[in-house]
Amino acid sequence: MTKLDELQHHFLHYLLGQASDIERHIESTPVLSAAGRLNIYANGYKLRLKEAITTDYEKLHGYLGDEQFDSVMERYIEKYPSHQTNLRYYSVNMPQLLQDETPFNSLPVLAELATIEQAFANSFDAKDVALVTIEDLAALAPEAWATLQFTFQKSVQILSLNYNSFPIWKALAAEETPPDVEQADQSNSWIVWRQADLISHYRPLATEEAAVIELAMQGKTFADICEKLLDFFDEQQTPIKAIGFLQSWIQEEMLAGFDYE
Amino acid sequence: MSRPFLGFGLGLRTEYYQHVIDHKPQVDWFEIISENYMVPGGKPLANLDKIRADYPMVMHGVSMSIGSVDPLNLDYLTKLKQLIARVEPHWISDHLCWTTVNHINSHDLLPLPYNEATIDHIVDRIKQVQDILGRQMLIENLSSYVTYNNSEMPEWQFVNEIAKRADCYILLDINNIFVSANNHHFDPHDYVNGIDSERVMQFHLAGHSYNGDMIIDTHDHDVCDPVWDLYGYALKRFGAVSTMIERDDNIPSFAELRQELTIAETIAAQTLSPKQLDISDNVVLKGVA
């Protein structure tokens, strides 16, 4: 190991709060000791990462309050050193941390709130793509429909939540008192996506739409979608419902492409 | 070559996007933080494209980690090259520091020991980066709070040697000289006098904060009078150098920051001739053979 190698590893270990002998490589001056000088970097390290987390999880911060949010950030920084070149992506593991770790996982709504905030962040700067229009589909030959598959634009994300986390998120966004936590009878699905005006949107998904949009996003065909809808509707209603969903996905600027055999 | 001069610029920050797009204020150029635009799409890139259509730009990075003992991050350099192709900046810069080791990013600009072994290490890496990017880059001096006991030379000699041997340019941060001079007890004028004039391509100006007897490079205040004095001194020594103000916290209105830039313009007008302050056209630093 070269001297530079050794210095950098010791410096990093120091920043991460691990055993390090970096101090003996640093000059003390009458104004400030080596330890005091290094401490400026230790403070800066945490401050910078906390600033990034605070930017990304504003609503979670509002829900928990300063003290509890700080303990979440402390644990995150301890568990997840950054492997990112861009601070934008530093806190991507927050939902996982809140789901895995006690005491945070005793309140599952926290992981769900973090998931919602992350979905909006991902939607905000997802890749720009050309969108499918109603005219594109209208031009298809009738025989194309059976094997028709869809590509959704990159900002489209489906969130399956077990609590009333979205109403809580909405209240926090409006700076209102959030409702009490309630566990849902069954998982509730929401969709988050960005439209061409670069604004992110969200809405709840009814059970039937949630079932088929997930299939569509997995690359299943229009025929598969219709078959799934038979779980909810009769044979007469099913094609109308399928077309209705497809039209709304196009009008809401969710579809980026289609393919068929 | 004679030094190209872009005039007086500002750091482009998200708080200013709408004002700049709506009002097209008079600013000679903007500097962007490269990493802020290394995202797939959406508003950051849309705003960047709109503003780039109206203003010259340079790109300033914080994550190249040119002084690290880790291998160069080729994924990062690929993304940087893609952004360069999109922005077509007059030049790109990063810091003479290390940020990452063992692939763990401190997200800080950490100082290096000033000695021959470090120079050799960094010169080799800058040459590789310039080859990959196909253009020369600028390296910026840091604000620092520690001195390693294996440093063998003053910082300005370290900066000069690297710029000369790697054939790159220097982004001289006037505030960082002032901050480090205070923290390491040297005369900032010695630093300015020691830097090779022909390698200086850009100046940074910024504000800072006191923490006891130490000064921290916080970019959260206006530029202070002693830094303005040092800026005037640097202009006398180097002549016209493209100058911008960095502000990253406690962000003022655009009008206030623009007003602060007029101080730089006034000092330059008092120090240099109008001919020296002629803005250069079509500046792009040369490619690497």
Side-chain angles (χ1 to χ4, degrees):
Chain A
M1 191 179 262
T2 65
K3 186 78 177 171
L4 188 60
D5 225 305
E6 193 186 326
L7 275 184
Q8 293 185 358
H9 281 86
H10 282 301
F11 208 130
L12 182 74
H13 291 157
Y14 168 79
L15 292 179
L16 298 177
Q18 298 167 355
S20 159
D21 76 343
I22 187 64
E23 200 177 317
R24 74 181 177 85
H25 298 283
I26 305 294
E27 287 184 0
S28 287
T29 69
V31 169
L32 195 60
S33 65
R37 287 173 176 271
L38 282 165
N39 196 42
I40 295 171
Y41 289 97
N43 288 340
Y45 173 71
K46 273 208 174 160
L47 208 67
R48 210 161 285 112
L49 295 181
K50 284 185 177 180
E51 199 176 282
I53 298 172
T54 305
T55 302
D56 293 346
Y57 297 100
E58 193 188 0
K59 313 295 183 299
L60 183 68
H61 182 188
Y63 193 65
L64 283 171
D66 289 345
E67 198 175 319
Q68 303 227 44
F69 187 66
D70 194 64
S71 69
V72 168
M73 292 195 290
E74 287 281 345
R75 181 66 189 122
Y76 190 91
I77 290 168
E78 186 184 3
K79 186 166 181 181
Y80 294 105
S82 176
H83 293 278
Q84 308 288 344
T85 49
N86 191 343
L87 269 175
R88 150 77 179 87
Y89 300 105
Y90 170 59
S91 65
V92 290
N93 296 305
M94 183 60 82
Q96 198 64 49
L97 177 98
L98 296 171
Q99 199 177 307
D100 291 348
E101 298 255 332
T102 52
F104 316 124
N105 57 6
S106 63
L107 203 54
V109 74
L110 299 181
E112 292 195 351
L113 276 176
T115 301
I116 293 169
E117 296 208 72
Q118 191 165 90
F120 278 105
N122 291 340
S123 142
F124 175 75
D125 57 17
K127 191 174 168 56
D128 303 298
V129 289
L131 297 165
V132 169
T133 64
I134 295 282
E135 291 71 34
D136 294 332
L137 277 193
L140 281 175
E143 56 272 22
W145 282 84
T147 61
L148 196 60
Q149 294 171 290
F150 307 99
T151 307
F152 284 75
Q153 52 123 324
K154 298 289 183 190
S155 75
V156 178
Q157 296 156 91
I158 309 292
L159 311 184
S160 292
L161 307 174
N162 294 313
Y163 291 82
N164 59 332
S165 303
F166 239 109
I168 291 173
W169 176 90
K170 278 201 274 188
L172 291 165
E175 296 184 353
E176 292 166 0
T177 305
D180 292 338
V181 174
E182 283 175 23
Q183 186 161 9
D185 295 337
Q186 54 184 27
S187 121
N188 57 104
S189 295
W190 292 74
I191 187 163
V192 173
W193 79 105
R194 188 184 80 218
Q195 293 190 342
D197 60 3
L198 304 179
I199 306 289
S200 291
H201 296 255
Y202 62 93
R203 64 173 172 84
L205 290 170
T207 311
E208 310 83 52
E209 187 180 9
V212 293
I213 199 168
E214 284 187 22
L215 288 182
M217 289 179 76
Q218 289 161 17
K220 301 290 185 191
T221 63
F222 187 70
D224 296 326
I225 288 168
C226 291
E227 195 180 323
K228 183 67 185 173
L229 284 175
L230 287 170
D231 292 350
F232 306 99
F233 305 106
D234 63 30
E235 283 188 21
Q236 204 176 351
Q237 285 177 306
T238 288
I240 299 164
K241 290 286 180 186
I243 291 289
F245 285 138
L246 193 50
Q247 277 180 335
S248 72
W249 300 339
I250 291 171
Q251 282 160 354
E252 290 175 301
E253 303 179 344
M254 295 178 189
L255 278 192
F258 55 81
D259 202 1
Y260 53 89
E261 286 173 12
Chain B
M1 73 180 190
S2 65
R3 177 188 298 119
F5 178 60
L6 300 179
F8 299 87
L10 290 173
L12 184 63
R13 303 295 181 258
T14 52
E15 289 84 349
Y16 299 141
Y17 285 161
Q18 210 52 54
H19 180 88
V20 173
I21 290 167
D22 291 346
H23 301 286
K24 295 187 176 52
Q26 193 285 313
V27 178
D28 294 334
W29 54 282
F30 282 105
E31 180 185 85
I32 62 164
I33 302 295
S34 309
E35 287 77 5
N36 291 352
Y37 305 94
M38 291 184 178
V39 292
K43 264 190 185 167
L45 289 170
N47 287 327
L48 174 69
D49 289 346
K50 276 186 201 162
I51 296 169
R52 176 65 183 100
D54 293 323
Y55 294 91
M57 272 186 191
V58 305
M59 285 169 46
H60 184 53
V62 294
S63 295
M64 192 179 283
S65 197
I66 198 71
S68 173
V69 293
D70 274 1
L72 284 171
N73 184 338
L74 296 180
D75 178 55
Y76 172 81
L77 291 173
T78 302
K79 288 181 180 148
L80 184 63
K81 196 169 180 174
Q82 286 165 352
L83 188 65
I84 289 170
R86 182 178 196 125
V87 175
E88 297 181 350
H90 291 293
W91 55 70
I92 66 139
S93 61
D94 206 300
H95 300 82
L96 194 47
C97 73
W98 64 283
T99 59
T100 302
V101 71
N102 261 355
H103 308 287
I104 293 176
N105 196 339
S106 67
H107 297 287
D108 200 354
L109 310 170
L110 300 173
L112 292 152
Y114 307 139
N115 57 41
E116 285 295 330
T118 314
I119 291 173
D120 288 344
H121 175 70
I122 294 178
V123 165
D124 181 51
R125 286 164 66 93
I126 293 176
K127 284 180 176 172
Q128 286 182 58
V129 168
Q130 293 185 146
D131 281 346
I132 291 167
L133 300 180
R135 56 162 65 214
Q136 289 174 289
M137 65 176 291
L138 280 58
I139 48 167
E140 181 185 355
N141 59 304
L142 300 183
S143 281
S144 68
Y145 315 109
V146 296
T147 303
Y148 296 100
N149 51 25
N150 65 333
S151 279
E152 297 164 352
M153 61 187 80
E155 185 181 316
W156 52 89
Q157 188 182 336
F158 179 75
V159 174
N160 282 341
E161 277 302 305
I162 290 173
K164 184 174 75 181
R165 291 195 217 168
D167 192 15
C168 67
Y169 289 95
I170 297 168
L171 193 179
L172 200 61
D173 189 313
I174 305 295
N175 176 60
N176 286 350
I177 294 175
F178 181 80
V179 169
S180 291
N182 173 82
N183 295 346
H184 303 301
H185 324 298
F186 62 79
D187 183 340
H189 302 95
D190 289 344
Y191 197 122
V192 172
N193 291 333
I195 286 288
D196 285 345
S197 177
E198 69 271 20
R199 291 284 166 187
V200 175
M201 188 61 71
Q202 184 188 333
F203 285 157
H204 268 173
L205 293 164
H208 53 245
S209 301
Y210 276 85
N211 180 0
D213 291 324
M214 299 288 279
I215 305 181
I216 314 295
D217 180 34
T218 45
H219 296 188
D220 61 351
H221 286 81
D222 291 351
V223 179
C224 69
D225 287 344
V227 170
W228 284 125
D229 292 343
L230 193 60
Y231 173 61
Y233 186 84
L235 285 175
K236 278 182 197 144
R237 163 142 170 73
F238 300 117
V241 175
S242 306
T243 297
M244 60 82 64
I245 297 176
E246 293 181 294
R247 188 71 176 244
D248 294 298
D249 211 344
N250 192 19
I251 303 262
S253 71
F254 188 87
E256 287 171 90
L257 192 64
R258 180 65 190 82
Q259 185 59 34
E260 194 181 16
L261 191 61
T262 62
I263 301 175
E265 291 167 324
T266 305
I267 293 171
Q270 289 164 351
T271 311
L272 304 169
S273 69
K275 188 166 168 45
Q276 280 177 293
L277 293 170
D278 271 352
I279 291 177
S280 319
D281 293 327
N282 302 319
V283 180
V284 178
L285 295 190
K286 74 176 183 192
V288 177

